[in-house]
Amino acid sequence: MKFSTLILSTVVTLMASTSRVQAAALPTVDIQAATMPQFVKRDIAGLNNYNCKPSAAHPRPLILVHATLLTADSWQDFVPTFQQQGWCVFALTYGTVPDIPGFGGLAPVEQSAQQLADFANNVMARMNASQVDLVGHSQGGILGRYWVKYLGGAGKVNRMVGISPITHGTTLSGIATVAKALQVFYPAEPLFDKIAPSFYEMVNTSPFIAKLNAGGDTSPGVVHSNIATKFDEVVTPYQTAFENDPGVTNVVLQDLCLLSLNEHLTMVNSMVVLQYVLNQLDPSAAKTANCLSLL
């Protein structure tokens, strides 16, 4: 079973367990594991190197912001290429909570956005830079937007690239919608607020999502672009990843390469996605992102 599917199945189970509605009333969900999978943590050579000398072509520090449940080491497939092309690359693990060690992105989203703001400000100070470029995956794709809008980040971001960002919130493959209809959604919220408060904040009807997108999806002075996958089971419908304001570049992965079967979490393992991100960060050196990028 895919890890993302396990996440969604676990959400349904937890909602059912906190409600008067019997679990049998929910749609059948196949759960093959009772525990979360264990990830092997890997150090990424050259990441967060404050002695890095920016190249003339890429003078701004590049900050990578991981997805919910992942950590900074999820960027291991992307970082070497960024470094080879002259970027000084930085990444943080945000949103950890004491009760679920080893996973990021679980704390309140506003708190995680402040962590990103503090991290980025420190990077800029130590690298003598006035701006950064951001690449964010899933929840990581909205933290920069919140920083720019509400936490003093205006003018500090040049380019922002979202990889399956949770821009307009999610229905969690319809689970949130079904849970509301069965009256198990709101009874389960206190439980999630204790163990993973970010989950409810990223549902499409949450006050956080409304605040994030108030006044428009983009911020003045920032070049926005996004890539989504048709096989996304976390950001649903997948088109909700896109920013709707003028001037934004939005692309579906399968329009670049029909052979790409990547779902939500594996978007950061796709060489097609990597080439798209590189093109958005530096259009002057762009190469076609297509199935040949897999080679």
Side-chain angles (χ1 to χ4, degrees), residues 30-69:
D30 178 23
I31 299 178
Q32 296 179 340
T35 60
M36 300 295 279
Q38 298 298 310
F39 292 105
V40 177
K41 300 297 182 184
R42 301 178 177 88
D43 291 330
I44 303 176
L47 187 66
N48 296 332
N49 176 15
Y50 290 94
N51 293 318
C52 177
K53 303 300 181 184
S55 65
H58 305 137
R60 293 177 297 275
L62 176 61
I63 297 179
L64 310 178
V65 194
H66 63 78
T68 306
L69 293 171

Short mmCIF file of all heavy atoms in Angstrom, two decimals, residues 30-69:
data_model
loop_
_atom_site.label_atom_id
_atom_site.label_comp_id
_atom_site.label_asym_id
_atom_site.label_seq_id
_atom_site.Cartn_x
_atom_site.Cartn_y
_atom_site.Cartn_z
N ASP A 30 -9.16 -0.29 3.16
CA ASP A 30 -8.17 -1.35 3.36
C ASP A 30 -6.99 -0.80 4.11
O ASP A 30 -6.24 0.03 3.60
CB ASP A 30 -7.74 -1.89 1.99
CG ASP A 30 -6.67 -2.97 2.15
OD1 ASP A 30 -6.58 -3.59 3.23
OD2 ASP A 30 -5.93 -3.19 1.18
N ILE A 31 -6.78 -1.23 5.35
CA ILE A 31 -5.63 -0.80 6.15
C ILE A 31 -4.75 -2.01 6.39
O ILE A 31 -5.15 -2.97 7.01
CB ILE A 31 -6.08 -0.20 7.50
CG1 ILE A 31 -6.97 1.02 7.23
CG2 ILE A 31 -4.88 0.19 8.33
CD1 ILE A 31 -7.51 1.65 8.49
N GLN A 32 -3.52 -1.97 5.88
CA GLN A 32 -2.63 -3.10 5.95
C GLN A 32 -1.59 -2.99 7.05
O GLN A 32 -0.82 -3.91 7.27
CB GLN A 32 -1.91 -3.28 4.61
CG GLN A 32 -2.87 -3.61 3.47
CD GLN A 32 -2.14 -3.77 2.15
OE1 GLN A 32 -1.02 -3.29 1.99
NE2 GLN A 32 -2.76 -4.44 1.21
N ALA A 33 -1.55 -1.85 7.72
CA ALA A 33 -0.52 -1.69 8.75
C ALA A 33 -1.09 -0.92 9.92
O ALA A 33 -1.89 -0.02 9.75
CB ALA A 33 0.69 -0.94 8.17
N ALA A 34 -0.65 -1.28 11.11
CA ALA A 34 -1.12 -0.59 12.31
C ALA A 34 -0.12 0.45 12.78
O ALA A 34 -0.41 1.23 13.67
CB ALA A 34 -1.36 -1.61 13.41
N THR A 35 1.05 0.41 12.23
CA THR A 35 2.09 1.36 12.63
C THR A 35 2.57 2.14 11.44
O THR A 35 2.46 1.71 10.30
CB THR A 35 3.28 0.63 13.27
OG1 THR A 35 3.83 -0.29 12.32
CG2 THR A 35 2.85 -0.12 14.53
N MET A 36 3.12 3.31 11.69
CA MET A 36 3.67 4.13 10.63
C MET A 36 4.97 3.51 10.13
O MET A 36 5.73 2.93 10.90
CB MET A 36 3.95 5.55 11.15
CG MET A 36 2.71 6.26 11.65
SD MET A 36 1.53 6.57 10.35
CE MET A 36 2.25 8.04 9.63
N PRO A 37 5.27 3.62 8.84
CA PRO A 37 6.52 3.07 8.32
C PRO A 37 7.71 3.82 8.87
O PRO A 37 7.61 4.99 9.23
CB PRO A 37 6.38 3.28 6.80
CG PRO A 37 5.42 4.41 6.67
CD PRO A 37 4.47 4.29 7.82
N GLN A 38 8.83 3.13 8.93
CA GLN A 38 10.05 3.73 9.42
C GLN A 38 10.89 4.21 8.23
O GLN A 38 11.14 3.46 7.29
CB GLN A 38 10.85 2.72 10.26
CG GLN A 38 10.10 2.25 11.49
CD GLN A 38 9.80 3.38 12.44
OE1 GLN A 38 10.68 4.16 12.79
NE2 GLN A 38 8.54 3.48 12.87
N PHE A 39 11.32 5.45 8.28
CA PHE A 39 12.14 6.00 7.22
C PHE A 39 13.60 6.00 7.64
O PHE A 39 13.93 6.25 8.81
CB PHE A 39 11.72 7.44 6.90
CG PHE A 39 10.36 7.54 6.27
CD1 PHE A 39 9.27 7.98 7.00
CD2 PHE A 39 10.18 7.17 4.96
CE1 PHE A 39 8.02 8.05 6.43
CE2 PHE A 39 8.93 7.25 4.38
CZ PHE A 39 7.85 7.69 5.11
N VAL A 40 14.48 5.72 6.71
CA VAL A 40 15.91 5.79 6.96
C VAL A 40 16.35 7.23 6.74
O VAL A 40 16.21 7.78 5.65
CB VAL A 40 16.68 4.84 6.03
CG1 VAL A 40 18.18 4.99 6.26
CG2 VAL A 40 16.24 3.41 6.24
N LYS A 41 16.86 7.85 7.78
CA LYS A 41 17.30 9.24 7.68
C LYS A 41 18.68 9.29 7.03
O LYS A 41 19.58 8.54 7.39
CB LYS A 41 17.34 9.89 9.07
CG LYS A 41 15.99 9.89 9.78
CD LYS A 41 14.98 10.71 9.02
CE LYS A 41 13.64 10.75 9.75
NZ LYS A 41 12.62 11.47 8.98
N ARG A 42 18.83 10.16 6.08
CA ARG A 42 20.09 10.28 5.37
C ARG A 42 20.55 11.74 5.38
O ARG A 42 19.78 12.64 5.08
CB ARG A 42 19.94 9.82 3.91
CG ARG A 42 19.47 8.38 3.75
CD ARG A 42 19.31 8.04 2.27
NE ARG A 42 18.92 6.66 2.07
CZ ARG A 42 17.68 6.22 2.05
NH1 ARG A 42 16.69 7.08 2.25
NH2 ARG A 42 17.40 4.95 1.85
N ASP A 43 21.80 11.93 5.73
CA ASP A 43 22.37 13.26 5.64
C ASP A 43 22.62 13.58 4.18
O ASP A 43 23.09 12.74 3.41
CB ASP A 43 23.68 13.33 6.44
CG ASP A 43 23.44 13.23 7.93
OD1 ASP A 43 22.37 13.66 8.38
OD2 ASP A 43 24.34 12.72 8.63
N ILE A 44 22.32 14.81 3.79
CA ILE A 44 22.52 15.24 2.40
C ILE A 44 23.76 16.09 2.36
O ILE A 44 23.82 17.17 2.97
CB ILE A 44 21.30 16.02 1.89
CG1 ILE A 44 20.03 15.15 2.00
CG2 ILE A 44 21.52 16.45 0.44
CD1 ILE A 44 18.76 15.89 1.60
N ALA A 45 24.76 15.63 1.65
CA ALA A 45 26.04 16.33 1.59
C ALA A 45 25.86 17.73 1.05
O ALA A 45 25.18 17.94 0.03
CB ALA A 45 27.03 15.54 0.73
N GLY A 46 26.46 18.70 1.73
CA GLY A 46 26.45 20.08 1.23
C GLY A 46 25.22 20.88 1.57
O GLY A 46 25.18 22.08 1.29
N LEU A 47 24.22 20.25 2.18
CA LEU A 47 23.00 20.98 2.54
C LEU A 47 23.28 21.86 3.76
O LEU A 47 23.99 21.46 4.68
CB LEU A 47 21.89 19.99 2.85
CG LEU A 47 20.49 20.57 3.09
CD1 LEU A 47 19.94 21.20 1.82
CD2 LEU A 47 19.54 19.47 3.59
N ASN A 48 22.72 23.06 3.74
CA ASN A 48 22.88 24.02 4.86
C ASN A 48 24.35 24.36 5.11
O ASN A 48 24.80 24.49 6.25
CB ASN A 48 22.23 23.48 6.14
CG ASN A 48 20.73 23.32 6.01
OD1 ASN A 48 20.09 24.03 5.23
ND2 ASN A 48 20.16 22.40 6.76
N ASN A 49 25.07 24.55 4.02
CA ASN A 49 26.48 24.93 4.09
C ASN A 49 26.58 26.46 4.02
O ASN A 49 26.47 27.04 2.93
CB ASN A 49 27.26 24.28 2.96
CG ASN A 49 28.71 24.73 2.92
OD1 ASN A 49 29.22 25.30 3.89
ND2 ASN A 49 29.37 24.48 1.79
N TYR A 50 26.82 27.08 5.15
CA TYR A 50 26.87 28.54 5.18
C TYR A 50 28.20 29.09 4.65
O TYR A 50 28.36 30.30 4.54
CB TYR A 50 26.60 29.04 6.60
CG TYR A 50 25.17 28.82 7.02
CD1 TYR A 50 24.79 27.67 7.73
CD2 TYR A 50 24.18 29.72 6.67
CE1 TYR A 50 23.47 27.46 8.09
CE2 TYR A 50 22.85 29.53 7.04
CZ TYR A 50 22.50 28.39 7.75
OH TYR A 50 21.19 28.19 8.10
N ASN A 51 29.11 28.20 4.28
CA ASN A 51 30.34 28.62 3.62
C ASN A 51 30.22 28.55 2.10
O ASN A 51 31.17 28.84 1.39
CB ASN A 51 31.51 27.75 4.08
CG ASN A 51 31.84 27.97 5.55
OD1 ASN A 51 31.85 29.10 6.03
ND2 ASN A 51 32.09 26.88 6.27
N CYS A 52 29.06 28.14 1.62
CA CYS A 52 28.82 28.06 0.18
C CYS A 52 28.95 29.43 -0.46
O CYS A 52 28.48 30.43 0.08
CB CYS A 52 27.43 27.49 -0.07
SG CYS A 52 26.92 27.39 -1.80
N LYS A 53 29.59 29.47 -1.62
CA LYS A 53 29.75 30.70 -2.37
C LYS A 53 28.75 30.73 -3.53
O LYS A 53 28.85 29.93 -4.46
CB LYS A 53 31.17 30.83 -2.92
CG LYS A 53 32.26 30.77 -1.85
CD LYS A 53 32.11 31.90 -0.84
CE LYS A 53 33.21 31.85 0.21
NZ LYS A 53 33.02 32.88 1.27
N PRO A 54 27.75 31.60 -3.47
CA PRO A 54 26.75 31.64 -4.54
C PRO A 54 27.38 31.93 -5.90
O PRO A 54 28.33 32.72 -6.00
CB PRO A 54 25.82 32.79 -4.12
CG PRO A 54 26.06 32.95 -2.65
CD PRO A 54 27.50 32.60 -2.42
N SER A 55 26.86 31.28 -6.93
CA SER A 55 27.35 31.53 -8.28
C SER A 55 26.73 32.81 -8.82
O SER A 55 25.70 33.29 -8.31
CB SER A 55 27.00 30.36 -9.19
OG SER A 55 25.58 30.25 -9.34
N ALA A 56 27.35 33.37 -9.84
CA ALA A 56 26.81 34.59 -10.45
C ALA A 56 25.43 34.34 -11.04
O ALA A 56 24.56 35.21 -11.02
CB ALA A 56 27.78 35.09 -11.52
N ALA A 57 25.22 33.12 -11.56
CA ALA A 57 23.93 32.80 -12.18
C ALA A 57 22.83 32.59 -11.14
O ALA A 57 21.65 32.84 -11.41
CB ALA A 57 24.07 31.54 -13.04
N HIS A 58 23.23 32.16 -9.93
CA HIS A 58 22.25 31.86 -8.89
C HIS A 58 22.68 32.50 -7.58
O HIS A 58 23.13 31.82 -6.65
CB HIS A 58 22.11 30.34 -8.72
CG HIS A 58 21.78 29.63 -9.99
ND1 HIS A 58 22.37 28.45 -10.38
CD2 HIS A 58 20.90 29.95 -10.99
CE1 HIS A 58 21.88 28.06 -11.55
NE2 HIS A 58 20.98 28.96 -11.93
N PRO A 59 22.53 33.80 -7.50
CA PRO A 59 23.06 34.53 -6.34
C PRO A 59 22.23 34.41 -5.07
O PRO A 59 22.71 34.71 -3.98
CB PRO A 59 23.06 35.98 -6.83
CG PRO A 59 21.94 36.04 -7.83
CD PRO A 59 21.95 34.71 -8.52
N ARG A 60 20.99 33.96 -5.19
CA ARG A 60 20.11 33.89 -4.02
C ARG A 60 20.15 32.49 -3.40
O ARG A 60 20.15 31.49 -4.13
CB ARG A 60 18.65 34.21 -4.40
CG ARG A 60 18.43 35.66 -4.83
CD ARG A 60 17.00 35.88 -5.27
NE ARG A 60 16.68 35.08 -6.45
CZ ARG A 60 16.93 35.45 -7.70
NH1 ARG A 60 17.52 36.63 -7.94
NH2 ARG A 60 16.61 34.67 -8.71
N PRO A 61 20.16 32.39 -2.08
CA PRO A 61 20.04 31.07 -1.45
C PRO A 61 18.72 30.41 -1.86
O PRO A 61 17.70 31.07 -2.02
CB PRO A 61 20.04 31.39 0.06
CG PRO A 61 20.67 32.75 0.17
CD PRO A 61 20.29 33.48 -1.08
N LEU A 62 18.77 29.10 -2.02
CA LEU A 62 17.59 28.31 -2.38
C LEU A 62 17.16 27.51 -1.16
O LEU A 62 17.94 26.72 -0.61
CB LEU A 62 17.92 27.36 -3.53
CG LEU A 62 16.82 26.39 -3.97
CD1 LEU A 62 15.58 27.13 -4.45
CD2 LEU A 62 17.33 25.44 -5.05
N ILE A 63 15.92 27.73 -0.72
CA ILE A 63 15.40 27.05 0.46
C ILE A 63 14.33 26.05 0.04
O ILE A 63 13.38 26.40 -0.67
CB ILE A 63 14.83 28.05 1.48
CG1 ILE A 63 15.96 28.97 1.99
CG2 ILE A 63 14.18 27.31 2.65
CD1 ILE A 63 15.49 30.01 2.99
N LEU A 64 14.50 24.81 0.48
CA LEU A 64 13.56 23.74 0.17
C LEU A 64 12.71 23.45 1.40
O LEU A 64 13.23 23.31 2.52
CB LEU A 64 14.33 22.48 -0.24
CG LEU A 64 15.40 22.66 -1.33
CD1 LEU A 64 16.11 21.33 -1.60
CD2 LEU A 64 14.79 23.23 -2.60
N VAL A 65 11.39 23.34 1.20
CA VAL A 65 10.46 23.19 2.32
C VAL A 65 9.64 21.91 2.09
O VAL A 65 8.87 21.83 1.13
CB VAL A 65 9.54 24.42 2.44
CG1 VAL A 65 8.83 24.41 3.79
CG2 VAL A 65 10.33 25.72 2.27
N HIS A 66 9.81 20.95 2.95
CA HIS A 66 9.27 19.61 2.75
C HIS A 66 7.75 19.54 2.98
O HIS A 66 7.11 20.50 3.39
CB HIS A 66 9.97 18.61 3.68
CG HIS A 66 9.75 18.90 5.15
ND1 HIS A 66 8.59 18.58 5.82
CD2 HIS A 66 10.56 19.48 6.08
CE1 HIS A 66 8.68 18.93 7.09
NE2 HIS A 66 9.87 19.49 7.28
N ALA A 67 7.21 18.36 2.75
CA ALA A 67 5.77 18.10 2.87
C ALA A 67 5.42 17.65 4.28
O ALA A 67 6.28 17.31 5.10
CB ALA A 67 5.35 17.03 1.87
N THR A 68 4.11 17.61 4.55
CA THR A 68 3.60 17.05 5.80
C THR A 68 4.08 15.61 5.96
O THR A 68 4.05 14.83 5.01
CB THR A 68 2.06 17.09 5.81
OG1 THR A 68 1.62 18.41 5.54
CG2 THR A 68 1.51 16.63 7.15
N LEU A 69 4.53 15.27 7.16
CA LEU A 69 5.03 13.95 7.55
C LEU A 69 6.45 13.68 7.07
O LEU A 69 7.08 12.74 7.55
CB LEU A 69 4.11 12.82 7.07
CG LEU A 69 2.73 12.76 7.73
CD1 LEU A 69 1.84 11.75 7.01
CD2 LEU A 69 2.86 12.36 9.20
#
